Amino acid sequence: VQLQASGGGLVQVGGSLRLSCAASGTIFRLNGMGWYRQAPGKQRELVADISRGGSTYADSVKGRFTISGDNAKNTVYLQMDSLKPEDTAVYYCNARVVQSFSMREYDYWGQGTQVTVSS
């Protein structure tokens, strides 16, 4: 399974960006997808996640970020509005995939995309 993320870049405070991540390859079942981020000197943290059970957000992005998915395309999106300097980080896409050869769930990661918010 490969995850291809796109949409990062440089934006001013208060601006918006939209991240996309498409999963490709052999996928028996996609249990969920999400976005994590890692700022310099900090641990990777969950930003938002979406699954059949719904979506969850980090407290720091609630009301500003929106995660959505396109099941037919195995794609997840992250709409980021009202961006703040503290949102600056490398954003990683995650997919939880069940493979038919084991019927177990595996975690897959994208290559990361840089988001920089300038003040």
Side-chain angles (χ1 to χ4, degrees), residues 10 19 22 33 36-37 40 45 51 54 61-62 71 73-74 76 80 83 85-86 99 108 114:
L10 174 65
L19 305 182
M33 296 186 76
Y36 289 70
R37 67 186 180 188
E45 63 174 357
S51 66
V61 307
K62 283 181 181 177
N71 291 334
K73 297 181 179 180
N74 289 336
V76 65
M80 304 186 293
L83 282 161
E86 50 263 44
Q99 296 287 20
Y108 294 92
Q114 177 70 46

Side-chain angles (χ1 to χ4, degrees), residues 41-63:
K42 294 187 177 181
Q43 290 188 332
R44 187 174 297 189
E45 63 174 357
L46 174 68
V47 176
D49 183 88
I50 189 167
S51 66
R52 290 179 179 80
S55 56
T56 58
Y57 297 90
D59 287 342
S60 59
V61 307
K62 283 181 181 177

